[in-house]
Amino acid sequence: MDANARYDKLYALMRAAGLDVIALIPGPNHRYLTGAVHYVLERPIVTFYTLGQPPIAVIPELEIPLFERHATPAELIAYSDAEGYASAFRSALDRLGARGKTIGVEGLHMRFFEGEIIRASAPEAKLVDATEPLAELRIIKDAGEIALLRRAIDISERALQAMFDQVKVGMSEIEAAAILEDHIKGLGGDGLSFGTILHAGDNTALPHSGPLDYRIQHGDPLIVDFGATYKGYCADITRTVFIGAVSDEQRAFYAVVQEANEAGRRAARPGVSCESVDVAARQVFIDAGYEHLIRHRTGHGLGMEAHEAPYIVIGNKQILEPGMVFTIEPGIYRMGEIGVRIEDNMLISEDGAESLTTFPRDLLIIEA
């Protein structure tokens, strides 16, 4: 999809949502529209998109070369450190005729002070959370985006295998995660989709926390949830393996999660609801008597953010469409003993679904 088509899509979403202006800070939506990479710093950067006229970007003077290098298609209103940003925001919103208009902001990302300076600069305007309409902007991936996701996933899977080849008994979770992240960089990844989650032993029952100084032991489960980024697109993969040996109880626990993962992947296809995919995976746990060990939804969208729409969760009636990419990551966790999660990245096609992840799901014992 070319840049003009992406702008047209944004303006159509604005009209449908009754938004006169959209205010974007540096991040995935801005990069999706412009291809430019800017960062959220103490000096605010906000680009305003409105119907019928070019975007206007309020930026610090020192950012001018970067905006010009990326040919960001916006009128620039720059401010110096000495003068501050208040007058630049007032000028931008006056040019937009924002008084009395409805301005949509990124409710999950925009900081309080940025919202307040917009409000102060256009006191008669109405600020609203535009998270839902903006979610539709990037929810359908084109062929170019899918190619970038495939590359991010390939880098991630090769890095994971390389780390498994090096992990040893006595190594700390922190040391193992560092090896994984070094391989991501060496294989061409731009960075990490999010902070790596890597735990061994009892710590595997912690679904969302960073590596600790616990040292890996023989017989431990080892859970790795991570992803590489490539040109702005994120992978998000989880595998659970065992170090040296696996007990019958651990094997049975793992088998239930593997079955739930398969059920979720099998349920994913165009025309079904996000909720129904969550139910399919969840039902496996319920039938096995493990409902009380479920601690999170089955999945979430994946693209320029590691977590974005669509969300694979009970209550989400959104229908899956070709071009949507999301995770299937059922897991169960028995505190103080073990957690198992298996996560794949799925693409909805015209007549089904494809797992973009190919790393084996069968139980793996690492000889370490």
Side-chain angles (χ1 to χ4, degrees), residues 8 32 69 74 87 107 149 221 262 269 325 361:
D8 289 343
Y32 178 81
R69 188 178 75 182
S87 63
L149 285 164
E262 182 178 349
R269 59 186 182 275
V325 178
R361 303 176 191 89

Side-chain angles (χ1 to χ4, degrees), residues 98-102 119 121-126:
R99 290 180 178 272
K101 301 292 182 65
T102 300
R119 196 186 307 275
S121 302
E124 297 172 15
K126 178 183 179 183

Side-chain angles (χ1 to χ4, degrees), residues 111-359:
R111 294 170 294 183
F112 178 79
F113 89 97
E114 290 157 336
E116 287 300 288
I117 192 62
I118 293 170
R119 196 186 307 275
S121 302
E124 297 172 15
K126 178 183 179 183
L127 266 64
V128 299
D129 183 0
T131 297
E132 288 192 14
L134 283 171
E136 297 299 311
L137 181 65
R138 296 184 285 110
I139 198 169
I140 303 296
K141 275 60 179 181
D142 63 29
E145 293 179 281
I146 292 166
L148 295 175
L149 285 164
R150 289 186 191 276
R151 182 64 186 278
I153 291 164
D154 177 66
I155 290 168
S156 301
E157 293 189 327
R158 286 191 288 150
L160 182 62
Q161 183 60 62
M163 187 273 283
F164 284 156
D165 290 342
Q166 292 179 256
V167 70
K168 300 295 181 185
V169 168
M171 183 178 288
S172 74
E173 294 175 0
I174 293 170
E175 290 167 339
I179 291 171
L180 176 66
E181 292 167 9
D182 284 345
H183 281 298
I184 286 172
K185 294 174 185 176
L187 290 165
D190 298 332
L192 302 174
S193 301
F194 51 90
T196 298
I197 299 166
L198 186 151
H199 286 308
D202 298 353
N203 292 340
T204 55
L206 303 171
H208 264 192
S209 70
L212 304 172
D213 57 7
Y214 172 82
R215 296 197 174 274
I216 298 167
Q217 303 298 315
H218 180 83
D220 274 350
L222 175 68
I223 191 168
V224 187
D225 184 346
F226 76 108
T229 60
Y230 183 75
K231 294 188 177 180
Y233 285 81
C234 301
D236 186 0
I237 303 168
T238 307
R239 289 295 185 267
T240 307
V241 299
F242 295 85
I243 305 299
V246 59
S247 69
D248 290 343
E249 184 178 4
Q250 289 171 332
R251 189 181 294 275
F253 203 77
Y254 185 93
V256 173
V257 179
Q258 186 177 7
E259 183 182 349
N261 173 279
E262 182 178 349
R265 288 185 289 110
R266 191 168 54 242
R269 59 186 182 275
V272 306
S273 69
C274 294
E275 176 180 60
S276 67
V277 178
D278 182 84
V279 168
R282 185 178 296 266
Q283 191 61 49
V284 173
F285 293 143
I286 294 170
D287 292 345
Y290 288 146
E291 183 176 13
H292 62 294
L293 301 182
I294 301 171
R295 298 182 64 188
H296 55 75
R297 65 196 170 205
T298 294
H300 54 79
L302 190 65
M304 297 184 83
E305 293 179 279
H307 285 206
E308 59 183 47
Y311 293 95
I312 310 303
V313 63
I314 287 178
N316 186 4
K317 309 293 185 182
Q318 185 166 25
I319 300 301
L320 294 176
E321 301 176 44
M324 289 183 175
V325 178
F326 53 89
T327 68
I328 295 291
E329 52 176 306
I332 46 177
Y333 311 88
R334 182 177 287 140
M335 293 305 297
E337 294 185 32
I338 187 175
V340 173
R341 181 165 67 254
I342 304 172
E343 178 179 20
D344 289 295
N345 302 163
M346 303 296 295
L347 165 66
I348 296 296
S349 61
E350 293 295 332
D351 57 0
E354 175 190 356
S355 177
L356 301 178
T357 37
T358 60
F359 202 93

